[in-house]
Amino acid sequence: QLIDEALEEVGYGVQRMVMGHTPQHRINAALKGRAWRVDVGASRGVMAGQPEVLEIIHGGDGEDDIVNILTMSGEKVASSERQVIESIF
């Protein structure tokens, strides 16, 4: 996949790409968590969406990172709950 090639090109063991300027109703991930879309359209001129934060806690050497979404209501949503399944036509 192109995402794998792009991440490999960056180097340094990069595992995911975080993108803005792609308004979504909430933070979500595509491509098995390798591409995160974080623009929730919070501006009134866009979608007046609720702010959210993508939290990435680096696991260190040999450990998995912890990825969560923090919401305005105080929820901590596991990244697995925000994976978008894309169909291939």
Side-chain angles (χ1 to χ4, degrees):
Q1 286 184 346
L2 290 174
I3 188 74
D4 294 326
E5 292 174 17
L7 296 175
E8 188 174 312
E9 182 70 25
V10 172
Y12 304 102
V14 172
Q15 299 174 12
R16 67 192 62 80
M17 183 179 300
V18 178
M19 297 170 279
H21 304 288
T22 52
Q24 310 286 307
H25 291 285
R26 58 189 193 168
I27 290 176
N28 63 71
L31 305 172
K32 300 178 182 173
R34 292 185 192 97
W36 281 90
R37 298 175 283 210
V38 298
D39 186 342
V40 294
S43 169
R44 278 183 274 169
V46 179
M47 296 179 350
Q50 289 291 312
E52 292 186 328
V53 173
L54 180 65
E55 173 187 58
I56 302 172
I57 302 171
H58 182 57
D61 292 333
E63 305 251 348
D64 290 335
D65 293 347
I66 299 169
V67 181
N68 295 300
I69 295 91
L70 309 178
T71 69
M72 288 291 291
S73 64
E75 288 181 82
K76 182 181 276 196
V77 181
S79 62
S80 60
E81 295 181 36
R82 294 287 184 90
Q83 303 292 316
V84 175
I85 309 285
E86 292 115 12
S87 59
I88 299 174
F89 298 98

